[in-house]
Amino acid sequence: MAGSRGRGRSQFSFSVDALGFGRGDSLPSSAHTPSPLFPPMQFRPVPLHTGEEVDYMLALKQELRASSKNLPFHIKAARTKTDVAHYSDKYQNGETKNNCIEWSPDWSRMPKELCIKVRKPRKTGAKPQLTRKPKVAAGKEEVLQKLETLEKREEEQHSEEEEDEEKKKQNEEEPDADEDYDEEDLEDETDYIMSYFDNGEDFGADSDDNMDEAVY
Amino acid sequence: MTAQEVRLCGLLLQEHFGNVVEKVGTHLIRSGVLTLRALAHETKLPLDLVKKSLCVLVQHGMCTFGAGRRGPAGPVEYRINCERVFHMLRYPRYIYTAKSLYGDTGELIVEEILQRGQMTMSSTVKTVADRLTHNMPEGQSMDYSEVVSAFSQLVETHFLQRCPLASAGSSSSGAVDTPLPVATQNFLVINSYDIYSTLSQGKRRRSSEDGEADQCAAKKARTDDSECGDDRIYWQVNFQRFHLHFRDQAIISAVSCKLDQSSSEIVRTMLRMSEVTTPAHAAFTQALSANEIFRALLSSYNIARPILDQYLSLLVDDPMEFVGKTGDSGGGMYVVNLHRALANLARATLESVVQERFGSRSARIFRLLLRKRHLEQKQVEDFAMIPAKEAKDMLYKLLSENLVQLQEIPKTPDYAPSRTFYLYTVNQLPTARLLLQHSYKTVGNLMERRLYETKENKRLLEKSQRIEAILASLQATGAEAAQLTEVEEMITVPERQQLESLRHHINKLDSSENQVDETIFLLKSYINSTQASR
């Protein structure tokens, strides 16, 4: 209030010395930069817990992480079609497509609008193959064209079926490194390991700017 | 939802379900409630991918759907349950608890149900029995009835619960919105019909397969069978029950640290006796008389009756107030103070954080302020017995970190600094919330660092995986030692060292995540307990 301003003018409720600077001094300069990203720590952190329980939970965590990548709940977007048709496309039919779902949820528990085509599971793939074989045997006198189309369909379902078989194996067993190897070999019926196959997309993509040597 | 919580949710969804689900999930968290079309439009993803992601999220209980703002006639709206996403961080702890309580069978059951969200009893029993049989030596196979009994035990102790019934329609799914605690009673009952039908199916199938030695053929025969009779009954993990169990464990270990083993056994007995009778958010357990406690104590503890009385009075007098006395009948009526115990555990966590980050003298100031509520700067220096300059420094550092707050009490209506009291104070609840957010940020940082480390060394990791695969296949086909060593040498020694250090770092980061999650659990339980009591 104006009245009491004259009396006891510079008496604060705390002693001024405690502030760390005297009267009339300028305030310490304020920092103009944000605080550092990794501020230096005064004390070292306490070491982590150790013990059997901790190790077991660590192993569980890493296993869960690895196995969740193989479950059908791990959704990957389908590769968008590039302009050029590749030879390898014929052998890579089994990749995920956007419009089918890999597991079959209970549609009665979900809203109807989420209903989406379920990818054909292995067992229904097996039956048509069985019924086709007698047909092929019986229709010996059929036109060669029909045999060829049937063969192609068998190939597709065979590759689809083997992939589903692998997915089931991966779901039920502990994931181990064998899978990569088996999948590469069994994915299609070629003799070549798929990862060795080079699409040729990377050729010429590297810049030729710093080429001092000659190209052979 | 705070920014850190959204970030952590995104990282967790990405780790378990991939980038697509992460994009859909984070967008839905940020927007609150959305319809399918709006979600697809805003995330610019193809509609099918959005549908698939929502299916996954609904299956795991992370997304709920219900009639929208336009009522049952309008489009369905979706909402993400963030708490459920955070539970994904704690999966190893749930599985380990199930293992310690119910053995390997229980562990596998809980693991299967956690990974798939919800499952019917028959499919769980099938999968778990197959997995156990696979790990057993040749010739033995797992009996379905053992798995069924483990499953029913889990249900009886409420660790598993039935999923709420969903109505057949899409938008009139009001049943799904009913909160779980109200209707939980129905969902914990396992019908004897379910057990009987699964058991009989299992027995029938086993007898038909006794003649088959081949495992694969047996699997095929099983998958061809029609459904089991419990087709529409899905089971999910009851996280609340696990959390109550963790809370009890925390209290028991705190008592054993503070007092001794026997008192912790007494508290364990008390908690065990009141497990099913105490509701989830109760502040105290049911009152138990000393006679009952004595009868329920396991004989292996070897605690005589007068010793029990002494221990109980010791527990009651302890300043941590874990156990309280509510009456004298029956040799004394005792309760475990759950909410107070949680508050004390949270307080201990806060104090420990301050001590490890700022030193023991700052921790002394912090504890002082927690006890004495409001203190002036001079009083802080006097009570803490710390020289003025250092006390001022520490106080200001704590203030800048927001662990300590300044309360101004004016003597006059104009807040003139010369005529205002400045008091330092610590409020436990807001500080706990602050630390919880810090913990979320910490886990987010740990996960990002782990992803970065993995990405940096991706080439090396792939190479080592390929070499392991080659080695395994060579060993399977019976190659000689020379070939094996040749393949092993394809990884050079510096690469091996790099791999080793990478593995060490990732293990450390993973372990840290688990440990920070324990802090998150404590702080969250404390905050929830304060909210419940209001």
Side-chain angles (χ1 to χ4, degrees):
Chain A
M1 300 304 288
S4 57
R5 211 186 290 161
R7 231 194 300 162
R9 189 191 284 187
S10 38
Q11 279 173 20
F12 294 106
S13 58
F14 47 89
S15 74
V16 184
D17 309 324
L19 279 176
F21 52 88
R23 299 181 55 202
D25 285 349
S26 56
L27 288 166
S29 61
S30 52
H32 291 288
T33 57
S35 50
L37 195 55
F38 294 106
M41 283 177 33
Q42 240 182 323
F43 301 92
R44 304 223 69 186
V46 180
L48 291 171
H49 291 326
T50 48
E52 198 189 300
E53 190 178 312
V54 172
D55 291 335
Y56 193 80
M57 284 207 272
L58 174 66
L60 265 177
K61 188 183 173 79
Q62 292 179 333
E63 256 179 49
L64 279 175
R65 193 164 56 226
S67 56
S68 68
K69 299 238 178 325
N70 297 326
L71 284 176
F73 304 118
H74 192 98
I75 296 184
K76 300 183 247 294
R79 264 204 330 209
T80 52
K81 286 200 186 130
T82 49
D83 298 328
V84 187
H86 296 284
Y87 177 78
S88 61
D89 286 344
K90 188 167 102 179
Y91 296 103
Q92 286 174 1
N93 268 337
E95 287 203 355
T96 55
K97 288 187 268 246
N98 270 354
N99 60 351
C100 22
I101 198 171
E102 268 85 26
W103 51 290
S104 53
D106 186 356
W107 295 116
S108 64
R109 297 179 64 86
M110 306 237 189
K112 278 197 211 119
E113 60 183 7
L114 290 183
C115 194
I116 200 173
K117 182 177 89 166
V118 177
R119 203 182 157 96
K120 248 191 278 182
R122 179 173 57 114
K123 51 182 183 179
T124 57
K127 282 188 196 140
Q129 202 182 30
L130 288 169
T131 54
R132 279 218 174 87
K133 275 191 182 140
K135 265 193 208 163
V136 172
K140 255 187 277 182
E141 321 244 299
E142 301 279 347
V143 187
L144 280 167
Q145 256 183 20
K146 255 204 175 176
L147 275 176
E148 274 176 9
T149 52
L150 283 172
E151 231 179 46
K152 248 192 225 161
R153 247 184 272 159
E154 254 182 58
E155 209 179 339
E156 276 179 334
Q157 258 160 14
H158 191 49
S159 63
E160 215 182 79
E161 171 196 322
E162 277 181 321
E163 265 171 54
D164 287 336
E165 193 180 345
E166 275 136 40
K167 279 198 186 124
K168 280 227 163 136
K169 262 199 228 157
Q170 287 164 16
N171 284 347
E172 290 172 0
E173 299 172 4
E174 297 297 318
D176 45 22
D178 272 340
E179 291 168 343
D180 284 343
Y181 194 63
D182 285 341
E183 198 175 38
E184 285 173 3
D185 269 351
L186 295 176
E187 197 170 43
D188 40 82
E189 292 170 350
T190 61
D191 291 337
Y192 304 103
I193 298 180
M194 280 318 294
S195 62
Y196 291 179
F197 177 73
D198 185 13
N199 264 349
E201 281 175 330
D202 296 331
F203 180 72
D206 306 329
S207 72
D208 288 336
D209 284 343
N210 298 333
M211 290 293 284
D212 290 330
E213 308 111 18
V215 178
Y216 295 102
Chain B
M1 298 311 308
T2 65
Q4 296 304 331
E5 289 178 3
V6 175
R7 174 176 168 235
L8 183 58
C9 279
L11 284 167
L12 284 168
L13 286 174
Q14 184 183 14
E15 181 173 304
H16 280 88
F17 301 128
N19 287 329
V20 177
V21 179
E22 185 248 331
K23 218 188 268 188
V24 170
T26 39
H27 190 84
L28 197 48
I29 297 176
R30 288 211 175 98
S31 324
V33 198
L34 276 181
T35 60
L36 175 64
R37 295 236 152 245
L39 189 56
H41 175 71
E42 287 174 26
T43 52
K44 303 201 185 351
L45 287 169
L47 189 65
D48 289 323
L49 277 182
V50 177
K51 281 190 196 174
K52 282 209 284 198
S53 318
L54 284 174
C55 282
V56 169
L57 290 171
V58 170
Q59 168 80 7
H60 280 81
M62 294 173 196
C63 176
T64 52
F65 56 91
R69 280 161 281 197
R70 301 222 193 107
V76 180
E77 288 188 345
Y78 300 90
R79 183 184 290 125
I80 296 263
N81 182 6
C82 271
E83 279 309 312
R84 177 65 183 85
V85 183
F86 291 145
H87 292 161
M88 279 208 282
L89 200 50
R90 217 169 282 149
Y91 278 3
R93 203 169 169 195
Y94 297 135
I95 300 174
Y96 183 75
T97 308
K99 182 190 173 88
S100 58
L101 291 174
Y102 296 107
D104 284 341
T105 324
E107 175 196 5
L108 284 180
I109 293 176
V110 170
E111 188 181 326
E112 281 295 319
I113 300 187
L114 276 176
Q115 283 210 299
R116 294 187 187 258
Q118 1 170 309
M119 287 178 89
T120 57
M121 180 173 170
S122 44
S123 52
T124 320
V125 168
K126 247 192 274 184
T127 329
V128 171
D130 289 345
R131 273 180 78 171
L132 284 169
T133 314
H134 183 78
N135 291 336
M136 281 175 160
E138 284 299 321
Q140 287 181 33
S141 64
M142 190 71 191
D143 199 11
Y144 272 31
S145 57
E146 270 184 55
V147 185
V148 168
S149 71
F151 195 100
S152 358
Q153 272 180 324
L154 279 166
V155 171
E156 275 158 28
T157 45
H158 299 189
F159 282 108
L160 290 178
Q161 68 184 23
R162 274 178 63 175
C163 299
L165 300 163
S167 50
S170 59
S171 25
S172 58
S173 46
V176 181
D177 287 339
T178 49
L180 221 46
V182 171
T184 318
Q185 309 312 321
N186 301 332
F187 301 146
L188 301 176
V189 172
I190 183 172
N191 296 329
S192 52
Y193 169 69
D194 300 333
I195 311 179
Y196 174 79
S197 65
T198 335
L199 191 56
S200 63
Q201 289 277 3
K203 274 198 181 136
R204 220 184 307 137
R205 263 183 262 130
R206 288 228 67 75
S207 58
S208 70
E209 282 150 14
D210 273 340
E212 297 183 44
D214 192 5
Q215 183 67 20
C216 288
K219 272 190 203 158
K220 271 197 190 146
R222 257 175 248 151
T223 51
D224 281 341
D225 272 340
S226 53
E227 331 97 12
C228 227
D230 66 340
D231 206 24
R232 292 271 177 259
I233 304 171
Y234 291 93
W235 300 87
Q236 65 188 19
V237 172
N238 185 2
F239 293 105
Q240 200 181 55
R241 177 69 183 90
F242 273 104
H243 293 166
L244 295 179
H245 186 263
F246 294 156
R247 177 200 68 189
D248 293 346
Q249 270 185 330
I251 295 177
I252 293 167
S253 68
V255 172
S256 89
C257 283
K258 184 109 200 281
L259 298 175
D260 77 334
Q261 182 73 9
S262 312
S263 19
S264 78
E265 300 297 346
I266 295 173
V267 175
R268 189 199 302 266
T269 315
M270 288 175 75
L271 284 168
R272 194 172 20 98
M273 286 163 67
S274 41
E275 240 172 24
V276 272
T277 48
T278 314
H281 298 293
F284 315 97
T285 59
Q286 255 202 351
L288 300 163
S289 69
N291 295 333
E292 282 176 353
I293 299 174
F294 182 64
R295 266 201 300 271
L297 270 180
L298 295 181
S299 51
S300 55
Y301 298 153
N302 249 343
I303 299 178
R305 184 56 206 271
I307 310 265
L308 170 71
D309 287 334
Q310 283 180 354
Y311 267 122
L312 282 170
S313 61
L314 195 66
L315 280 165
V316 168
D317 290 333
D318 189 70
M320 291 287 261
E321 288 182 345
F322 287 118
V323 174
K325 187 165 183 181
T326 56
D328 289 314
S329 60
M333 302 293 280
Y334 297 93
V335 287
V336 178
N337 297 323
L338 296 165
H339 283 195
R340 213 167 298 167
L342 275 175
N344 286 332
L345 285 171
R347 182 165 54 82
T349 311
L350 298 181
E351 288 169 10
S352 142
V353 167
V354 172
Q355 180 166 333
E356 295 304 332
R357 289 204 52 203
F358 300 105
S360 53
R361 295 210 279 180
S362 306
R364 205 192 309 165
I365 295 179
F366 188 79
R367 274 197 295 266
L368 189 66
L369 285 169
L370 266 175
R371 286 192 71 168
K372 301 259 185 191
R373 309 296 172 84
H374 296 272
L375 286 176
E376 276 188 340
Q377 185 163 340
K378 188 90 179 44
Q379 287 175 308
V380 170
E381 294 161 18
D382 289 339
F383 280 124
M385 294 181 286
I386 296 177
K389 234 187 185 160
E390 292 168 26
K392 173 197 59 144
D393 211 11
M394 290 175 201
L395 263 176
Y396 286 177
K397 200 179 290 187
L398 287 174
L399 189 64
S400 68
E401 297 280 342
N402 254 327
L403 290 163
V404 159
Q405 281 88 42
L406 204 54
Q407 170 80 29
E408 297 165 3
I409 303 194
K411 288 190 238 186
T412 51
D414 64 341
Y415 277 64
S418 61
R419 287 181 291 272
T420 319
F421 287 116
Y422 291 98
L423 300 174
Y424 291 97
T425 181
V426 175
N427 292 323
Q428 191 169 331
L429 186 56
T431 315
R433 284 185 203 271
L434 173 75
L435 274 185
L436 183 63
Q437 293 304 316
H438 280 339
S439 309
Y440 286 143
K441 183 173 178 181
T442 309
V443 181
N445 288 349
L446 286 166
M447 289 177 82
E448 287 219 11
R449 180 70 199 200
R450 176 167 45 82
L451 289 171
Y452 170 77
E453 295 267 333
T454 318
K455 201 164 69 140
E456 282 284 296
N457 297 296
K458 197 167 98 157
R459 209 197 108 259
L460 192 57
L461 276 171
E462 277 175 6
K463 179 176 175 183
S464 85
Q465 274 175 358
R466 219 175 298 153
I467 297 213
E468 271 173 36
I470 298 176
L471 268 177
S473 68
L474 276 182
Q475 274 174 347
T477 56
E480 350 166 301
Q483 274 182 316
L484 291 175
T485 44
E486 197 185 309
V487 172
E488 273 174 14
E489 271 160 27
M490 281 165 68
I491 305 186
T492 62
V493 172
E495 281 182 345
R496 226 176 263 279
Q497 282 175 347
Q498 208 180 338
L499 265 177
E500 193 47 49
S501 82
L502 172 69
R503 215 158 280 162
H504 178 72
H505 288 160
I506 292 191
N507 283 350
K508 231 187 183 133
L509 291 167
D510 274 331
S511 211
S512 316
E513 281 175 39
N514 283 343
Q515 209 169 313
V516 177
D517 175 66
E518 286 177 22
T519 311
I520 290 179
F521 169 71
L522 253 179
L523 292 173
K524 201 84 187 64
S525 311
Y526 164 61
I527 294 172
N528 286 342
S529 74
T530 52
Q531 282 176 336
S533 56
R534 262 179 220 153

